[in-house]
Amino acid sequence: MTKKTNEILVAVAGQPNSGKSTIFNCLTGARQHVANYPGITVEKKIGTYSAKEGKIVLVDLPGTYSLTSYTQEERIARDFLLLEKPEVVIDVIDASNLERNLYLAFQLIEMNVPLVICLNMTDVAKRRGFDINTDKLSQQLGVPVVPTIGNKGKGKKELKETIWATHKHKIDSIKTDSVKAASTDMPIRINYGEALEPILATLEQKISEAPRLTEHYSPRWLAVKLMENDSEARRLVRQQSEKGKNILDFVAVERDKFISTHKEAPEKIIAYKRYQTAEGIVENCLSQKAKGHKTWTDRIDQLVCHRAAGPIILATVFYLFYKITMSPDYGGQKLASLAWPYLAKFRDLMAFIPLSGLPRSLFLNGIVDGVLAIANYIPIFFVLFILIAILEDTGYMTRIAFHMDRVLRAFGLHGQSTLPMMLSGVVVGGCAVVGTMSTRGIKDPKARLATILILPLLNCMAKIPFYILMASIFFKKYQAEVLGFMSVVTLVLALVVAKIFTLTILKKEEEVPFILEMPAYHLPTVRGVLIRTYERLMVFIKKVGTIVVAVAVIVWCGITFPGISKERVVHYNNETNKAAQSFMAKLGENNPYKKLLAGQGLNEFEEYWMSYKKGRMGLDEEAQQALNQKFAKKNAEFFKIANKGKYIEDGKSKKDKYAKKTYTTYKKFYKSVERLQVAQRKETVRVSYAGRLGQSLVPLTKWAGMDWKINVAMISSFAAKENLVATLGSIYSMEKTEVVTKESLAVTMKRETAHTGWTPLHAIAIMLFVAIFPPCLMTLIMVRIETGRNLWTLFVTIYPIILGFLVAVAVFQGGRILGFGG
């Protein structure tokens, strides 16, 4: 990444569950954004804060236990440190797991980076009875150590001072009570034993003679990595032409001799010496006051991780998750209902944009209505992401993995598959793009590939609007239960498919064991939860603002063109004129309002009446009176008609029988014109390109209970699943005379499907097809990147279509044969 001259680049590294992201958020606050690492789709969080002589730019590296080249996270973190050359590296260490966390610190020290140890979660260590001498720890490591409590902001000032001093090589100038500089400028150098050190010394010398290597890499670090048989280190050396070949030949000979002599690989000795050194440092710097004392984490885990009670707690958490997110009485659904009036006002404002004809229809019916059909679900996602962030920050997400490992292992997966599955929608509402990206942490190639292949079968957040729409029509009293059913049935299906894949097409893939670390429980902070929620919500909003808008335009074109014939347009115009003539005739010759509504007056009154109707919605009596005064002042004669002949004159309430008759007659006329407009819109959609395509598939999809409108929505969902509801909203908006809201779309579809004989069985079959249907375009791109093969991408595209259709047909036709109604 490029940085300005007054910017100081700081990398934030650390092992998973060390509170690394909490420290990052603590330092940067709201001054952060999410980007991608160059050439890959792993998220890169970048934040800033102001310092004495410039701006500190922090990059939150992926959490990693080591800096080998086994996982994507390890490679990303290591490459950033080596190639971007940050001025300071913060290694966030969990103070309650000091020994294990020092393993990464040793590797950072060997890389010769300007290191600051952030000893985080010191409060957790204290509760466990640990007393850490930070001065002694700093002396032992040879780098500054700053104790912090990230979620409370403690140590923030001292950490910033240490970062600045490290950058300026003035560590000794820091004079605070809570942090002191290391007493030596020489960081710790691990002794890897009499058998290995002479080889490393010779190797360091050979590396030092290759200027292109020493320019970017520490000779000591590279020598150790080569003896660990690190593939990426070998690649770096191989690029050095003749000198690189000589170095690699030397390594190959020495490794063979070492293994032959000591009956162990050098990497095992290296790992052992690191752990041994870490153990010695901990013995010198840490004392435990209450040995054998059970922490709150231990006590809670006795219940939460219990073989019998644990699954019951897990099921309860999942149930509450659904209820809080989906219940219409509170939570996400309630927020959505409160937010809609504001979205509707936004739509009304957009209607004032000076457009007419097809451009106006494209803008309002295509783009605005398509986006609003999805934007109304943002409050639901807001609540959903808050709950997920709470599960993550408390540490319970890891316990979910612990319990799920027992289940997943039976299906060819293991606990590391839990997070990608959770992110993709084990609990209704996830994203297969994020889920697929998160599989990079799975070291087992077989489990990783199997996980990638089944993630599209889970319930991503983009499917939720369609589920809610169908549930509100056919299962109004049981919406939460229906969503729970969709979550369970898709999870079971995904597990079965995973088992089949691991026994067949993935049978020859390599397997590695699964190791799970249980972090201590923490109380989530409001700030941390909101930051995580904001980041995930912005991913969704950006997707709506890009892919959904583009597809909305395509869908609008598809349901608008080529349009009905000129003869049919003339037919509808003639019918409208006949209705207008009939209306005028019914008014009678003696009606004084007949002349007022003649010619252009009829159109002017329609605009006035629609504005008055919309203004009256939801008003109390006092507000109603104020509105009446406003519209009476605007046009007194029109007001008499619109208010059913009632008006105020000289402070007295009066009635005009001719105005009342005109209102009654006009209302009948308006309804007849509206029916003509709806018929014209329906015919336009039916003969459109999208309508024709949808109808051409009906002979096949009818076996799954689908009509042509659902077919069109399914086709549009290839780009993004958000388009399911957006497309239906556009179709029904084209068939109505006003904007289709979430509520009115449900009402309209319920009325339409009732005419065609739809039952809850139709809804269940279609929802299952949607659940299994191929992932969106972005997910398919991610599958291609993660697997590196076009074949797997094509497979993930095709097999869900076949599987989804077969499941939907089996449910629909089987239900009909058995006489089920859903």
Side-chain angles (χ1 to χ4, degrees), residues 344-618:
K345 287 181 181 178
F346 171 78
R347 208 274 184 182
D348 292 340
L349 288 174
M350 295 297 100
F352 285 107
I353 291 180
L355 294 172
S356 60
L358 286 177
R360 180 179 180 82
S361 178
L362 168 61
F363 180 71
L364 288 179
N365 300 116
I367 298 174
V368 175
D369 290 350
V371 171
L372 289 184
I374 294 301
N376 195 39
Y377 293 91
I378 289 178
I380 297 176
F381 295 141
F382 175 72
V383 173
L384 173 72
F385 293 151
I386 283 179
L387 295 177
I388 290 177
I390 290 173
L391 289 179
E392 291 175 335
D393 288 358
T394 57
Y396 187 69
M397 190 72 81
T398 307
R399 275 71 184 182
I400 294 175
F402 170 76
H403 287 295
M404 292 299 295
D405 182 57
R406 301 175 184 175
V407 178
L408 297 179
R409 193 179 298 275
F411 293 93
L413 306 171
H414 54 54
Q416 281 184 317
S417 302
T418 304
L419 179 58
M421 293 173 71
M422 288 290 294
L423 293 174
S424 298
V426 168
V427 177
V428 173
C431 179
V433 176
V434 180
T436 305
M437 289 166 53
S438 67
T439 61
R440 291 168 183 169
I442 304 176
K443 295 184 178 182
D444 186 333
K446 185 175 184 178
R448 180 172 185 265
L449 190 51
T451 305
I452 290 173
L453 296 181
I454 65 169
L455 291 183
L457 302 179
L458 301 175
N459 296 297
C460 73
M461 61 185 174
K463 298 174 185 176
I464 295 176
F466 185 78
Y467 293 167
I468 295 175
L469 176 64
M470 299 300 282
S472 66
I473 297 173
F474 296 97
F475 311 97
K476 193 169 184 64
K477 294 182 179 179
Y478 307 100
Q479 293 187 51
E481 287 76 6
V482 168
L483 290 168
F485 163 76
M486 292 302 299
S487 180
V488 172
V489 75
T490 50
L491 174 60
V492 171
L493 181 64
L495 293 176
V496 171
V497 171
K499 184 65 174 179
I500 294 172
F501 286 167
T502 53
L503 292 177
T504 54
I505 58 177
L506 303 179
K507 187 176 181 179
K508 296 182 179 179
E509 294 290 335
E510 181 185 356
E511 297 181 60
V512 297
F514 166 58
I515 300 174
L516 181 67
E517 176 200 350
M518 293 287 196
Y521 288 105
H522 299 280
L523 282 175
T525 63
V526 174
R527 185 166 173 268
V529 168
L530 289 180
I531 287 176
R532 287 173 183 265
T533 301
Y534 170 78
E535 290 171 351
R536 287 170 175 157
L537 202 58
M538 287 308 298
V539 170
F540 174 75
I541 292 173
K542 288 176 182 178
K543 196 172 183 182
V544 171
T546 52
I547 297 176
V548 173
V549 170
V551 174
V553 173
I554 296 172
V555 170
W556 177 87
C557 293
I559 61 180
T560 302
F561 298 107
I564 58 177
S565 64
K566 292 181 179 179
E567 291 78 8
R568 295 298 294 168
V569 173
V570 171
H571 164 75
Y572 284 113
N573 288 339
N574 289 339
E575 291 297 315
T576 302
N577 291 334
K578 288 180 183 179
Q581 293 170 9
S582 176
F583 163 70
M584 297 301 290
K586 290 178 181 179
L587 289 179
E589 295 300 327
N590 297 327
N591 192 323
Y593 296 99
K594 184 173 183 179
K595 186 176 180 180
L596 179 68
L597 297 178
Q600 190 63 28
L602 188 61
N603 293 331
E604 292 175 359
F605 176 72
E606 180 184 356
E607 293 182 8
Y608 179 94
W609 188 58
M610 292 298 295
S611 179
Y612 180 64
K613 275 181 60 180
K614 186 174 292 186
R616 289 181 59 179
M617 293 176 62

Side-chain angles (χ1 to χ4, degrees), residues 702-720:
K702 69 179 182 181
W703 294 97
M706 299 166 60
D707 65 8
W708 69 270
K709 293 175 184 177
I710 295 293
N711 292 345
V712 174
M714 294 295 291
I715 292 169
S716 71
S717 72
F718 262 111

Side-chain angles (χ1 to χ4, degrees), residues 592-593 596 605 608-609 612 628 631-633 635-649 654-664:
Y593 296 99
L596 179 68
F605 176 72
Y608 179 94
W609 188 58
Y612 180 64
N628 287 346
F631 274 84
K633 187 176 180 180
N635 191 316
E637 299 302 307
F638 277 178
F639 175 73
K640 291 178 183 178
I641 301 173
N643 200 36
K644 304 178 184 180
K646 301 174 184 178
Y647 67 101
I648 303 294
E649 186 175 274
K654 296 186 178 182
K655 292 184 179 181
D656 186 325
K657 64 177 183 179
Y658 289 107
K660 183 177 182 180
K661 180 181 179 182
T662 302
Y663 168 81
T664 305

Side-chain angles (χ1 to χ4, degrees), residues 1 31 85 114 159 206 340 367 528 549 607 613 772 776:
M1 61 180 288
R31 298 174 299 277
K85 301 288 185 182
L159 182 58
K206 289 182 177 293
W340 176 252
I367 298 174
V549 170
E607 293 182 8
K613 275 181 60 180
I772 304 171
C776 65

Side-chain angles (χ1 to χ4, degrees), residues 642-680:
N643 200 36
K644 304 178 184 180
K646 301 174 184 178
Y647 67 101
I648 303 294
E649 186 175 274
D650 298 329
K652 296 181 180 181
S653 178
K654 296 186 178 182
K655 292 184 179 181
D656 186 325
K657 64 177 183 179
Y658 289 107
K660 183 177 182 180
K661 180 181 179 182
T662 302
Y663 168 81
T664 305
T665 309
Y666 177 80
K667 192 171 182 181
K668 293 179 181 178
F669 159 71
Y670 181 81
K671 286 186 176 181
S672 63
V673 172
E674 188 178 44
R675 282 193 294 269
L676 288 170
Q677 291 175 338
V678 169
Q680 183 175 354

